[in-house]
């Protein structure tokens, strides 16, 4: 049966030449498949006599086992080398230096916002947040600026076309992008009991754009209402805030008479640094005043029993003074050369 020996030899040789699993399986079919060489030889056994058949059968079975185990071994070898090739291909050089991701930073306006919250929270003020799309009533009417009041023209307002809200009195009223954070005084006061001590920082909008105005900007509103809160408290609280914000006690504050429909009397708060590039100049920093009795009524409070002050300060103004920035548009251009200086 040298035939059998040569079939085995041929099979082993062809297995070892097969370079890929699919090729190996094809080669296998040539020997072990339904019409493969060994299968054919096994079929031939039936033609032999009993004695011969036993001897030849044993030989063929031994051959089959050798072919099968050679096939198994080749399968394993191919699988292993595939794994190795993949490992080689996907190898990482862990000694290479990293690519380095840029570290993000906090935007100077966000930083300013956080500082303001921290300072006021530390002296017992609550922090409130409210809608940027506001009703006409909260933005104007409740703050003592009824429809057609000339003071409304102080604000270049973005009205939302074709959208109205149902006001408290059942009348439909226009919606707009809030022009200041002052509507938060009314929203907050109507939801809380006096005494009230709150700041409400947030985004505000006006049709306005130049080096010191942007159509979107930020304000922080402050409100302190109790039985006997006076201008003296406003001056004390606000001066303390500015000294902490600018980290210097060498800073003076003055009130200048002004007009806001929602305060009476009203003041413009100016400040002056004793040192630094802006020393000796009075800088306008905030509007403020004693809350008008009509507005206190809109809070749902009795102006005979509750009084206090409010202020509204631009965040950009504070940030510009703190960091020495002269063009407000830089805050919103998204230029990393500017922004990364605050990391
Ligand atoms: N809302 C005013 C503005 O945007 C700023 C302001 C002035 C707010 C006086 C106040 C205030 O609360 O009392 O111009």
């Amino acid at each position: 049966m040298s035939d059998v020996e040569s079939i085995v030899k041929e099979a082993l040789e062809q297995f070892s030449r097969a370079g890929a699993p699919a090729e190996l399986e094809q080669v296998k079919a040539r020997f072990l498949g339904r019409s493969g060489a060994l299968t054919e030889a096994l079929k031939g056994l039936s033609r032999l006599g009993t004695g011969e058949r036993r001897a030849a059968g044993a030989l063929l079975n031994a051959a089959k086992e050798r072919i099968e185990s050679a096939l198994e071994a080749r399968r394993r070898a191919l699988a292993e080398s595939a794994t190795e090739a993949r490992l080689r291909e996907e190898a990482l050089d862990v000694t290479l230096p990293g690519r380095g991701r840029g570290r993000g930073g906090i935007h100077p306006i966000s930083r300013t916002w956080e500082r303001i919250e921290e300072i006021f929270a530390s002296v017992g003020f609550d922090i409130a947040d409210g809608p940027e799309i506001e009703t006409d009533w909260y933005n104007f009417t409740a703050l003592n600026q009824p429809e057609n009041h000339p003071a409304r023209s102080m604000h270049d307002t973005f009205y939302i076309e074709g959208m109205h809200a149902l006001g408290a009195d059942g009348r439909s009223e226009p919606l707009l992008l809030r022009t200041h954070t002052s509507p938060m005084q009314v929203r907050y006061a109507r939801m809380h009991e006096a005494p009230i001590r709150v700041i409400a920082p947030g985004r505000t909008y006006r049709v306005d754009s130049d080096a010191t105005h942007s159509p979107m900007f930020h304000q922080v509103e402050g409100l302190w209402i109790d039985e006997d809160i006076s201008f003296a408290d406003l001056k004390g609280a606000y001066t303390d805030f500015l000294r902490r914000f600018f980290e210097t006690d060498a800073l003076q504050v003055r009130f200048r008479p002004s007009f806001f429909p929602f305060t009476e009397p009203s003041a413009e708060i100016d400040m002056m640094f004793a040192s630094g590039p802006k020393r000796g100049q009075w800088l306008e920093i905030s509007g403020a005043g004693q809350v008008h009795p009509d507005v206190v009524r809109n809070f749902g409070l009795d102006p005979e029993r509750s009084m206090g002050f409010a202020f509204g300060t631009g965040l950009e103004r504070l940030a510009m003074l703190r960091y020495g920035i002269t063009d407000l548009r830089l805050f919103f251009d998204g230029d990393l050369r500017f922004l990364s200086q605050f990391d």
Side-chain angles (χ1 to χ4, degrees):
M1 278 289 233
S2 65
D3 255 17
V4 177
E5 203 41 50
S6 68
I7 291 174
V8 173
K9 210 174 136 212
E10 186 60 25
L12 266 47
E13 218 176 275
Q14 289 196 27
F15 286 166
S16 67
R17 274 205 303 268
E23 195 186 339
L24 179 63
E25 297 311 312
Q26 272 169 13
V27 174
K28 169 202 157 184
R30 254 178 250 156
F31 296 93
L32 299 174
R34 212 177 294 174
S35 48
L38 201 72
T39 321
E40 289 298 327
L42 280 161
K43 280 184 202 159
L45 285 178
S46 59
R47 289 192 298 272
L48 300 174
T50 326
E52 264 185 315
R53 198 191 305 155
R54 180 169 299 158
L59 201 69
L60 282 172
N61 274 331
K64 192 177 170 200
E65 267 168 35
R66 280 171 66 200
I67 292 177
E68 278 172 347
S69 72
L71 172 69
E72 213 27 66
R74 185 64 186 150
R75 273 185 185 143
R76 247 181 284 120
L78 284 179
E80 267 165 34
S81 68
T83 309
E84 266 164 37
R86 205 168 138 206
L87 284 174
R88 229 177 297 120
E89 217 171 86
E90 294 175 8
L92 288 180
D93 182 352
V94 291
T95 64
L96 278 177
R99 275 206 203 109
R101 287 203 207 144
R103 253 168 71 252
I106 297 175
H107 192 281
I109 294 296
S110 305
R111 232 173 239 282
T112 302
W113 185 326
E114 283 171 10
R115 275 181 77 72
I116 295 169
E117 287 192 354
E118 241 170 62
I119 295 170
F120 278 103
S122 77
V123 290
F125 277 72
D126 196 6
I127 316 280
D129 191 18
E132 290 168 30
I133 296 178
E134 192 49 281
T135 65
D136 189 82
W137 190 79
Y138 277 109
N139 196 81
F140 291 124
T141 316
L143 293 164
N144 221 14
Q145 302 178 67
E147 233 176 294
N148 306 319
H149 191 287
R152 284 201 184 201
S153 63
M154 288 160 77
H155 293 195
D156 295 310
T157 311
F158 287 111
Y159 285 93
I160 298 176
E161 264 175 30
M163 271 180 95
H164 285 73
L166 212 54
D169 57 359
R171 280 201 325 172
S172 129
E173 53 167 326
L175 285 174
L176 46 90
L177 295 181
R178 65 178 178 188
T179 58
H180 51 175
T181 43
S182 304
M184 278 307 293
Q185 290 183 28
V186 190
R187 284 189 177 275
Y188 186 92
R190 285 164 78 90
M191 287 191 301
H192 294 82
E193 306 275 315
I196 286 164
R197 253 197 307 181
V198 66
I199 60 158
R203 271 182 278 278
T204 46
Y205 304 84
R206 283 185 210 177
V207 186
D208 222 349
S209 186
D210 59 40
T212 51
H213 296 89
S214 138
M216 188 282 298
F217 59 105
H218 299 77
Q219 285 190 339
V220 55
E221 195 73 15
L223 179 67
W224 187 347
I225 299 285
D226 206 336
E227 285 170 9
D228 53 0
I229 297 299
S230 72
F231 250 46
D233 297 301
L234 168 57
K235 192 161 189 180
Y238 204 86
T239 304
D240 184 51
F241 159 66
L242 287 177
R243 292 191 170 150
R244 289 179 64 186
F245 183 83
F246 290 107
E247 295 174 278
T248 172
D249 283 345
L251 171 157
Q252 272 178 276
V253 172
R254 76 173 180 194
F255 282 7
R256 213 161 17 88
S258 185
F259 170 77
F260 297 102
F262 31 91
T263 43
E264 185 56 40
S266 303
E268 214 67 64
I269 304 179
D270 297 339
M271 58 173 275
M272 184 162 69
F273 293 110
S275 59
K278 295 242 178 232
R279 76 181 161 278
Q281 291 173 46
W282 283 111
L283 307 162
E284 195 177 305
I285 194 82
S286 184
Q290 183 171 320
V291 181
H292 193 290
D294 286 349
V295 177
V296 174
R297 248 175 243 118
N298 288 332
F299 290 169
L301 297 172
D302 175 1
E304 298 295 328
R305 297 187 42 202
S306 298
M307 64 184 294
F309 65 75
F311 62 83
T313 309
L315 255 65
E316 283 77 6
R317 180 90 174 125
L318 285 172
M320 285 167 87
L321 286 172
R322 182 169 162 90
Y323 299 118
I325 295 157
T326 50
D327 192 334
L328 177 143
R329 289 167 294 199
L330 283 169
F331 286 130
F332 309 119
D333 283 347
D335 187 334
L336 289 177
R337 288 169 304 180
F338 170 73
L339 293 174
S340 59
Q341 296 175 57
F342 301 92
D343 284 355

